Amino acid sequence: MDEIITRLKKVRRGAMFIIEAPSGTGKSAVVKEILRCDPNIKFSVSVTTRKPREGEVDGKDYYFIDDAQYNEYLKQDAFYEYVDSQYGSRYGTLRSEVDSFINVGEDVLFDMDWAGARQMKAKAKDDVVTIYLLPPSIKELRSRLENRGTDSKETIEKRMNLTAEKLKHWNEFDYVLVNVNLEDTIKKVQRIISGERMKRVRQTGLQSFVDELLEEAKHD
């Protein structure tokens, strides 16, 4: 029995899991815990044209490239999604980076906004699973931003001003969760991942396995 389970795991197709939420909802904490608990899910490393910040490592935090290389990737249609930030830097998710995982049955996790998720859905279709996290209230959202102590008052106001625009896109996502309790939300996301892994479209080894069962049934 263990041999059969191992065989089917090896021929499973991976999935791309995208998590989006207004800033302060708890997305980063959810992503961090999912990655810590599940060795079969990888975090997507994007390319960027900005310079590395102190402590950042090329190939771990980002792939740091110049504009010429970025433009070449655009010509090659090498991105699943890409964006030019309001600060002048450019970012993109390489198809080759993601496909190297999902083609061998490993899943990839993305911390990505609704615009990137829309691009991914258009290009990767059934390989993409999108999850949106809602805050329990706007008052609680502001409280979380203030209590984490990492942003200035100006930054908090900027993040709050962007909340309404982000919330408008909640209904573009496959799954929507209200993050009242972080531990409970993490468990729900884990159940979504487990369920998606069992979908027939991802279990690419099932056809040959069922064929063997049918052949065996003929001689039973």
Side-chain angles (χ1 to χ4, degrees), residues 25 32 35 53 56 71-72 77 86 93 123 125-126 139 141 149 164 184 191 206:
T25 303
K32 183 178 179 180
L35 291 170
R53 294 170 183 154
E56 288 185 329
N71 290 334
E72 186 60 31
D77 192 26
Q86 58 183 316
T93 300
K123 290 187 176 180
K125 302 189 187 311
D126 290 341
K139 181 180 179 180
L141 186 68
D184 183 53
R191 288 198 290 270
L206 280 180

Side-chain angles (χ1 to χ4, degrees), residues 7 10 12 22 30 44 53 58 62-63 77 87 98 103-104 108 113 118 123 141 149 156 160 193-194 200 206 214 219:
R7 171 188 166 191
K10 286 181 178 179
R12 187 182 73 85
V30 171
S44 172
R53 294 170 183 154
D58 184 50
Y62 287 97
Y63 295 111
D77 192 26
Y87 304 107
V98 177
N103 287 339
V104 295
V108 186
D113 69 9
R118 185 181 285 179
K123 290 187 176 180
L141 186 68
I156 289 174
M160 291 301 299
I193 291 172
S194 295
R200 177 177 53 80
L206 280 180
L214 291 171
H219 305 287

Side-chain angles (χ1 to χ4, degrees), residues 78-95:
F79 292 124
Y80 269 126
E81 62 86 32
Y82 60 92
V83 64
D84 292 350
S85 82
Q86 58 183 316
Y87 304 107
S89 300
R90 306 157 84 188
Y91 297 83
T93 300
L94 288 172
R95 292 174 183 262

Side-chain angles (χ1 to χ4, degrees), residues 29-197:
V30 171
V31 168
K32 183 178 179 180
E33 187 62 13
I34 294 296
L35 291 170
R36 187 188 72 82
C37 294
D38 193 336
N40 291 318
I41 193 163
K42 312 298 181 184
F43 189 71
S44 172
V45 179
S46 301
V47 302
T48 182
T49 58
R50 74 164 173 77
K51 299 298 182 183
R53 294 170 183 154
E54 185 176 353
E56 288 185 329
V57 178
D58 184 50
K60 179 181 179 182
D61 298 289
Y62 287 97
Y63 295 111
F64 296 99
I65 62 174
D66 58 21
D67 280 304
Q69 180 63 69
Y70 191 95
N71 290 334
E72 186 60 31
Y73 281 142
L74 284 176
K75 289 179 182 178
Q76 297 171 1
D77 192 26
F79 292 124
Y80 269 126
E81 62 86 32
Y82 60 92
V83 64
D84 292 350
S85 82
Q86 58 183 316
Y87 304 107
S89 300
R90 306 157 84 188
Y91 297 83
T93 300
L94 288 172
R95 292 174 183 262
S96 57
E97 170 79 5
V98 177
D99 290 348
S100 67
F101 293 120
I102 68 169
N103 287 339
V104 295
E106 293 184 320
D107 303 307
V108 186
L109 187 62
F110 301 83
D111 176 348
M112 186 179 290
D113 69 9
W114 62 268
R118 185 181 285 179
Q119 289 184 60
M120 293 284 285
K121 273 282 192 181
K123 290 187 176 180
K125 302 189 187 311
D126 290 341
D127 285 333
V128 178
V129 180
T130 56
I131 304 168
Y132 198 98
L133 304 183
L134 291 169
S137 70
I138 298 302
K139 181 180 179 180
E140 175 64 20
L141 186 68
R142 179 180 288 276
S143 177
R144 290 176 183 179
L145 285 172
E146 292 173 345
N147 290 338
R148 70 186 187 183
T150 58
D151 297 322
S152 66
K153 288 183 178 180
E154 292 77 13
T155 300
I156 289 174
E157 288 308 315
K158 182 180 288 187
R159 294 186 187 281
M160 291 301 299
N161 290 337
L162 291 171
T163 296
E165 179 58 33
K166 277 182 169 284
L167 287 173
K168 291 177 183 177
H169 299 277
W170 71 274
N171 58 356
E172 297 179 24
F173 287 70
D174 300 315
Y175 298 90
V176 180
L177 306 174
V178 180
N179 184 24
V180 177
N181 176 275
L182 180 61
E183 184 178 344
D184 183 53
T185 298
I186 290 168
K187 289 179 180 177
K188 288 178 179 177
V189 173
Q190 289 172 327
R191 288 198 290 270
I192 290 170
I193 291 172
S194 295
E196 287 290 336
R197 284 171 170 166

